[in-house]
Amino acid sequence: MDSMVLELGYALDTFYFLMCTALVMWMAAGFAMLEAGLVRAKNTVEILNKNALLYGVACIVYLVVGYNVMYPANPISSVIPGIDFLLGGDNSTESVTAGGDDAPYYSSMADFIFQAVFAAATMSIVSGAVAERMKLWPFLIFSVFMVAVIYPVEGYWKWGGGFLDQLGFQDFAGSVVVHMAGAAAALAAVILVGPRKGKYGKNGEVRAIPGANLPMATLGMFILWMGWFGFNGGSELKIANVEEANAVAKIFVNTNAAAAAGMVVAALFARFLFGKTDLTMTINGALAGLVAITAEPLQPSAGLASLIGAVGGLVVVGSVLALDKLKLDDPVGAISVHGSAGIWGIFAVLLSNEDATFMGQLIGTAATFAWMFLASMAVLLVIKMIMGLRVSEEEEMEGMDVHECGMQAYPEFGPEHMSSK
């Protein structure tokens, strides 16, 4: 009977892990729709191509090497992980039914695929920030290095048992390990490729460049919101007893509360600042609330989770405006959503998690940002020297769809079609 109970628990936890993986994978569609909605029509096919291909590249690279860097069998030190290739076997029935604290309670293959979709999500953050002017294939080459080494190294520092974990740095599902990390890489890319033509005037004025399909962007936001239940809920890693089942339910409630509060507060703040309810701020407010609660979705009450999300909504609006003042052009607000709200979220952990310390959170955030920014900058500079990062001015003006992909997303509205009418 004990053996059957252990096997049933193993099966249930594995199944839950895999269903959460499917939800996080679905976030790839959310990123694609969000970004495709917030770019101009002439760049839609390229951004969709970018999101589809980066997912494929990330999954292949993480399978070949990235997972073993992030979770090394034989780490060199608490800072430098080991390196190995491909995956080993899965857990045996005997290891599961032996019981005890060291017995596995879910499939190691489930763990791999869950971590793989996290790696792809981290890379997706970069995609939107460099939209409409970074070449497709240099971006994909960068994604190889990002998923093979750059992201797994800092992931090892926390989730692989490295020095940040030993220091007591607390990041439940990745406000910093995933979101701010992706934003730091995105910031390096944005600095190197520069702003879109016409975004900023000579006297410092900021010109809005509206996206082509806001219904699609809104759909993307809701897909990401749905996927976040797997992102945060799956990070509990277990559900097969009353305590863990209750914990997962609470994580879902807090995740949803933070997103709702972030969305509403961002909309109200935008209304206060501009006199209008800016849909892009509404969308990014929800995403900022989700990012902010990701660092600790279990310990807060639903009320505190709402407050954390609400502050995230304020932070993202202020951050978007600040980045434009600095002439850092981020078409989808990725750096503000994932970076600024991620930093707020990691320090909000101090409000509910007694194991967190200010210095631990500060060192973890600073170390992760420094590594992600500098390593990304170095790789991108090499790629820039070899093949360039940015499309030509002519390609940017005419659209990346035609020049990079040879097709248009909305051909019936293209100049050739309209001129024949």
Side-chain angles (χ1 to χ4, degrees):
M1 180 61 73
D2 288 344
S3 174
M4 287 182 61
V5 170
L6 289 169
E7 287 194 52
L8 184 60
Y10 180 93
L12 181 57
D13 285 332
T14 297
F15 179 74
Y16 173 67
F17 218 3
L18 292 173
M19 291 305 97
C20 286
T21 296
L23 284 173
V24 179
M25 183 272 166
W26 185 229
M27 292 174 74
F31 281 115
M33 293 300 96
L34 178 72
E35 293 171 24
L38 293 178
V39 301
R40 288 165 288 184
K42 63 184 179 180
N43 297 313
T44 305
V45 174
E46 193 273 344
I47 203 71
L48 292 171
N49 232 339
K50 188 178 288 181
N51 274 275
L53 285 167
L54 80 82
Y55 181 80
V57 169
C59 289
I60 293 168
V61 172
Y62 201 70
L63 171 66
V64 173
V65 66
Y67 181 70
N68 288 320
V69 172
M70 195 159 167
Y71 299 96
N74 299 295
I76 296 170
S77 72
S78 63
V79 177
I80 305 172
I83 188 168
D84 203 351
F85 299 95
L86 299 174
L87 304 178
D90 213 330
N91 304 313
S92 66
T93 302
E94 292 75 18
S95 67
V96 174
T97 57
D101 293 339
D102 295 329
Y105 55 90
Y106 56 77
S107 164
S108 61
M109 291 296 175
D111 182 67
F112 160 73
I113 193 64
F114 186 69
Q115 299 299 336
V117 292
F118 265 53
T122 307
M123 190 62 215
S124 294
I125 295 166
V126 183
S127 171
V130 295
E132 302 203 284
R133 73 273 199 207
M134 184 173 179
K135 295 178 182 178
L136 175 60
W137 285 99
F139 172 85
L140 294 173
I141 291 169
F142 171 65
S143 72
V144 172
F145 290 92
M146 174 85 159
V147 179
V149 179
I150 301 174
Y151 165 69
V153 166
E154 64 89 16
Y156 162 70
W157 290 347
K158 169 54 186 171
W159 291 339
F163 82 99
L164 291 182
D165 189 53
Q166 296 169 17
L167 186 68
F169 175 56
Q170 301 294 317
D171 191 358
F172 185 91
S175 284
V176 159
V177 175
V178 172
H179 294 284
M180 194 213 67
L187 179 61
V190 164
I191 290 171
L192 286 178
V193 298
R196 291 168 291 176
K197 296 294 182 183
K199 175 64 178 176
Y200 303 114
K202 293 180 180 178
N203 299 318
E205 61 269 27
V206 179
R207 303 188 183 106
I209 302 178
N213 196 326
L214 291 181
M216 187 181 290
T218 306
L219 174 63
M221 178 267 289
F222 278 115
I223 292 173
L224 288 168
W225 191 329
M226 178 181 174
W228 232 286
F229 293 123
F231 201 98
N232 287 354
S235 296
E236 180 65 15
L237 308 180
K238 196 171 186 178
I239 199 172
N241 61 53
V242 173
E243 183 181 356
E244 295 294 344
N246 288 344
V248 168
K250 186 177 182 183
I251 288 169
F252 272 54
V253 168
N254 285 348
T255 298
N256 192 67
M263 178 171 64
V264 172
V265 169
L268 289 170
F269 191 30
R271 177 81 179 181
F272 171 76
L273 292 175
F274 315 131
K276 305 292 181 182
T277 310
D278 186 322
L279 176 61
T280 63
M281 293 298 185
T282 300
I283 289 171
N284 280 337
L287 299 179
L290 289 162
V291 170
I293 200 62
T294 294
E296 184 48 87
L298 176 57
Q299 298 300 328
S301 65
L304 180 56
S306 300
L307 177 62
I308 291 168
V311 175
L314 292 174
V315 166
V316 76
V317 174
S319 178
V320 167
L321 298 176
L323 287 181
D324 269 338
K325 290 289 185 183
L326 296 171
K327 296 188 177 181
L328 294 170
D329 184 17
D330 179 357
V332 305
I335 296 169
S336 296
V337 166
H338 301 277
S340 300
I343 292 170
W344 153 242
I346 208 70
F347 286 102
V349 174
L350 296 166
L351 301 176
S352 62
N353 189 332
E354 295 179 356
D355 293 330
T357 66
F358 178 80
M359 286 307 299
Q361 300 304 88
L362 179 62
I363 292 169
T365 302
T368 301
F369 179 86
W371 164 254
M372 293 300 302
F373 180 81
L374 294 174
S376 297
M377 181 70 77
V379 171
L380 287 164
L381 280 170
V382 173
I383 296 172
K384 183 177 182 179
M385 287 188 291
I386 295 172
M387 58 192 306
L389 295 175
R390 185 169 180 141
V391 297
S392 68
E393 188 169 344
E394 178 187 3
E395 290 171 326
E396 187 176 350
M397 292 298 294
E398 294 180 0
M400 297 177 71
D401 287 1
V402 173
H403 288 276
E404 290 270 13
C405 307
M407 61 180 66
Q408 296 174 322
Y410 312 104
E412 64 271 28
F413 299 106
E416 298 86 358
H417 182 83
M418 297 304 288
S419 62
S420 65
K421 292 239 176 181

